[in-house]
Each structure stands twice: as C-alpha cells, then as structure tokens.
Amino acid sequence: MTRTKGLNRRALIRYGALTGAAALVRPPAAAASPAPVSPPSPAPAFALEELTVADLQKRMESGEETARSLTEKYIVRIDGIDRQGPMLRSVLEINPDALAIADALDAERKAGRVRGPLHGIPVLVKDNVGSADRLQTTAGSLALVGAAPAADAHVVKRLRDAGAVLLGKTNLSEWANFRSTHSSSGWSGRGGQTRNPYALDRNPSGSSSGSGTAASANLCAVAVGTETDGSIVSPSNNCGLVGIKPTIGLVSRTGIIPISHTQDTAGPMCRTVADAALLLTVLAGSDPADAATKAAPERAVDYTKSLGQGIQGLRIGVPRKKLYGQSPAADALVEAALAELKKLGAVIVDPADVETVGEFDDSEFEVLLYEFKADLNAHLGGLPASSRYRSLEQLIRFNEENRAREMPYFGQEIFEKAQAKGPLTEKKYRDALAKDGKLSRKEGIDKTMDKHKLDALIAPTSGPATLIDLLNGDYGVGGSSSLPAVAGYPDLTLPCGDYLGMPVGMSIFGRAWSEPTLIRIAHAYEQATKWRKPPKFLATADLTPPA
C-alpha cells in the first residue's frame, strides 16, 4: 500500500497559516497585480490530476489511497499552485478540521461503513455557502469575517452526510458580483483577484470564480458554486468545466448568502459530466426551511442513471436569436458540436428561436435589486447576535469606512440602488416579477419547446475569457445564461473546444426539472469528443495563429 506519509514541512507550515486568523484578512496589496510580473514556474506534477470521483473511490477501495492521503495531497497542491507558483488565489482558506474529518471517514470505511460515492472525497465550496465550523462564510467581504452562521447550509449538511471531506472555501466575486457595475469578476476584499488557470491574465469569470479555477486546476475532486444568472455556467465556460445550474427548487438555498430567492441556486462545478451528475444527486433534495424545494422529493433522482443512455431521436433546438452571433469563435465551436450531436442520433431543429430573449433584461435587474435588499437583510438578521452587520445599509457604511481595503478598484453602485428600493409589496416589483415569468417561461422557453416538440436547447455559453481589467471592470461578449436563469430552469454547460488555447463551453438548457435529459445529452457529447484539457497555467494566452 502506498500513501503520502504526511504534508511536507513547507506545506504544513502554510497549511497552519491558511487556517489561522491571519490568513482571513490579507492586505489588498496581494490583490493589486492581476498577472505575475514574470512567467510562473511550471506547476509540479500531481498524482491525482484529472482523476474522477470514481477513480478516487477505486484507489481508496484498493488501499492505495485513503481519505486522509487524498486530503493531504490536495492541500499540498493548493499550497504549491494557489499560494505559490501561478498564485491562482482561488482558495480563501483550508478547513482546519479537514484531516480530522478524513481520519474519521477512514475509520468508518475500515469498520465497513461507506456512506456513498462521495465518502472520503475532498470538496471545495464557495465562500457564500454557510458552514458551522471553523471556516468563515463571508461572500468575500471583510465585513463578515467572524460572523459565523449557527448552522450548516443545507447543501453542506448533505455533503457531510454523504461522507465528503469539506476541504475549504473558495474565493468569489465579492457579494456574488452584486456590488458594482464595474467589478472585476473573481475579485474580493478577502482574497484579491482569482486568476484563470489557462492564462493567468485572463478573467476566470464570476461569481463562482474560485470554485471554477480550483476545480479546473485539480485543487479538489469536485466543487460547489452558486448562481443567480451565469455564476456557475460562466466560470465553468472560462475554466473548461462541466457546470450545472439546477432548476430552482431542486437544491436548497438555506444558509447561503442570497441575492434573489427567485433565481438563486447552488450547483456542481466539475471536470466531467459523471462527477457533476453524482454531485447533483447529493445536493438535490427537499428542505423544510426552503419552501421552493417542496417539489424536490418527486423530482430529485439519481442523475448518474442518465449517463450512457445515448441521444438517438432526441430533438435539440438551436435558438439563434440573440444567443448566437456574439462570439465568432464560440459560434464556430458550437456549430461543430451540433454536427457531432447529429452524428450521435439527435434531431437538430434549426432555428428554434425564443422570441422573447432580451425583452426582460431590465425587469430582471429590477427584481434582483428588490430581492437582494429584502433577502440579504433577512439573512443578516438571522445570524447570531455576535455578527456586527445586520443590514445592507450597515454594509454600505462599512465599505465606505474601509474604502482602501474594500473598494480600491470599484464601488458599490448596485448596493446603493438596492438600498433605495422599497418592500416586496411594491407594484413595481410585482409587475417586474410577473413580466419575467411570463416572457422567460410561458412565452419563452416553454412556447419554443412546445412549438418544435423539443427535448433541449443549445447555445454558446459565452465567448473565450477576456483579460482581467481592474481599471475598467469586466467586458466582453454576453452569453446565454439569462434566459434559463430568469425562468428558473436548468442550464448545463460543458467544454466544446478551445480557441487559441482558451476553453469554450456550450449550454444545454430546457424545461423545469429536465436535468436528466440535459445530463444525457452532455454525457453522450463528452464521451464522443473528450474536449476537456487540463490547464497549463500560462502567464498569458498563446495568441499565435494556428498553422
């Protein structure tokens, strides 16, 4: 039997620092430069690179690895390329209890108890997902350091019950990218600027940027992100991952720092469709504390059963209106993907436009502003009495008082717009919410799928990653996330190729609760093409034209 004999001395020292209080408030100087001054050293070889959950389970079953040895190896990996070398800045902190959790799970395995396919598997979760332990839950903001929740988020409880090792928390776009219209995705006051592992000066996208970079860079087996509109699928696009934004109500939001109760959800960010299906199976389920999950017991299934079913005869629509034509590179790759799906037996219906796309952009933002104020105030008010900040108004004041640390690059215009909103009883909110539902669902996705008798729709997720720009904030092409996000319907992205070395994803979306069909299509395409390639941590993208 082979296993690591323990963390090397340097990594062990850093592990202690990462789990201590000093690591929680790193000065923004560490975040000032989005790209290294000189090319980074090559990343060291990693024994677990690109291994799936099934691969890791086989190694534990054979005795080649244990939960502890896996956890140790991922900690060393984080030390080697997240805090040193490429300095990805994707992991805010490592769980100081991770090794103890792993030891306990190893003891269970030795005693003949294996909880399921996640038993002993190290998982990273986004820093807006609450955990009642020695980890922080801050949404990337210094204001919430020390404001520990009284209980685990429901998804964290499900992970623990499934036997996962909660390895740590990932960086994110602060406040899930709902603070400023000029933000740089992946930047937070706590963690600085997360980098894209394919080219360090490229944007990882947000807001689940840390989960995207960490999973892509093999800093964990799988990761959990959250999305309101694009925050799972967009970083998955930029980081070469499979990301699933589930139907609203399939996964509980209890204990997750909110933006919008009509659009928020957690979901998987993984290197393979099989791992994403497995992780979704664990995360999905009802929660009495989240009324939206009332239907989950009837809808949540073992999503791994959708793997390997084939797609013969499935009808896939191509909604070209406004969802294509944004990035020539992405369009070309998705066109090739559609041709491949046709070879695999799918019926491609082209075009199958959703006529209402773009007609609810303003009303979506209006709804999010109202719900952010109401939902965040409720969340903050429910934290233990030791929490210092209990309202959006107080957070705005904190940011102003700590401008050098919290607002060195961009402001808080969205915070201020949300604070100006009234209660959810206002007619302006109720009208905007009704408009969103009508145009995105009844007259949007549902109408198009009924008309063409479709099983799913496919569009580019987004274009290749743009450069990090702390001076001006994010820029670049749009994407296809808003349509399923506003509808509350599922959206799955997976790699469909790369452009000059930068990954590009395609989104497969459809009706509520259609995750099994989306996974079925994605897995068939993935197995036929194998587009996922591990990142090389280049200082900048190689823009040499192909021969």
Side-chain angles (χ1 to χ4, degrees), residues 198-199 201-202 498-502 538-546:
Y198 288 88
D201 59 353
R202 294 274 157 176
D498 71 87
Y499 181 66
L500 298 179
M502 300 306 298
L538 301 178
T540 191
D542 181 358
L543 302 183
T544 304

Side-chain angles (χ1 to χ4, degrees), residues 40 42-43 86 197-199 533-539:
Y198 288 88
K533 301 292 189 297
K536 296 181 180 179
F537 312 106
L538 301 178

Side-chain angles (χ1 to χ4, degrees), residues 87 126 131 192 217 240 269 274 286 371 395 401 460 468 512:
M87 293 187 66
K126 188 176 175 179
S131 59
M269 300 178 72
S286 64
E371 292 188 355
L395 292 174
E401 293 171 352
I468 293 170

Side-chain angles (χ1 to χ4, degrees), residues 215-390:
S216 186
N218 286 270
L219 304 186
C220 57
V222 294
V224 175
T226 69
E227 174 162 331
T228 304
D229 184 342
S231 290
I232 288 174
V233 297
S234 186
S236 295
N237 174 87
N238 283 22
C239 296
L241 294 177
V242 178
I244 302 178
K245 194 282 292 186
T247 302
I248 300 301
L250 183 62
V251 176
S252 170
R253 290 80 58 85
T254 302
I256 298 175
I257 298 173
I259 291 178
S260 159
H261 62 268
T262 57
Q263 291 185 207
D264 288 352
T265 183
M269 300 178 72
C270 306
R271 293 181 293 274
T272 68
V273 175
D275 280 355
L278 189 158
L279 183 54
L280 182 60
T281 300
V282 170
L283 298 178
S286 64
D287 172 16
D290 185 350
T293 65
K294 184 177 180 180
E298 301 171 5
R299 300 292 186 173
V301 298
D302 181 354
Y303 294 100
T304 63
K305 292 183 178 179
S306 296
L307 306 174
Q309 289 188 4
I311 59 172
Q312 186 70 37
L314 292 186
R315 294 175 61 82
I316 297 173
V318 184
R320 293 193 176 275
K321 181 181 177 181
K322 294 190 177 181
L323 300 185
Y324 288 71
Q326 302 176 80
S327 165
D331 284 355
L333 290 169
V334 175
E335 295 288 358
L338 292 168
E340 181 64 35
L341 290 167
K342 186 174 182 179
K343 289 180 185 177
L344 294 172
V347 177
I348 305 301
V349 180
D350 184 7
D353 289 334
V354 179
E355 295 297 338
T356 56
V357 169
E359 294 181 14
F360 44 84
D361 293 350
D362 291 343
S363 55
E364 178 193 11
F365 188 54
E366 192 73 17
V367 167
L368 297 185
L369 290 172
Y370 272 98
E371 292 188 355
F372 180 65
K373 179 182 180 181
D375 295 354
L376 183 61
N377 283 345
H379 176 87
L380 295 172
L383 291 175
S386 58
S387 175
R388 293 177 58 194
Y389 302 98
R390 313 192 68 80

Side-chain angles (χ1 to χ4, degrees), residues 175-211:
W175 295 108
N177 231 358
F178 207 71
R179 198 192 83 187
S180 171
T181 56
H182 302 289
S183 65
S184 173
S185 287
W187 188 92
S188 75
R190 278 192 68 198
Q193 178 65 56
T194 304
R195 292 170 170 147
N196 188 306
Y198 288 88
L200 302 181
D201 59 353
R202 294 274 157 176
N203 199 310
S205 194
S207 67
S208 303
S209 46
S211 293

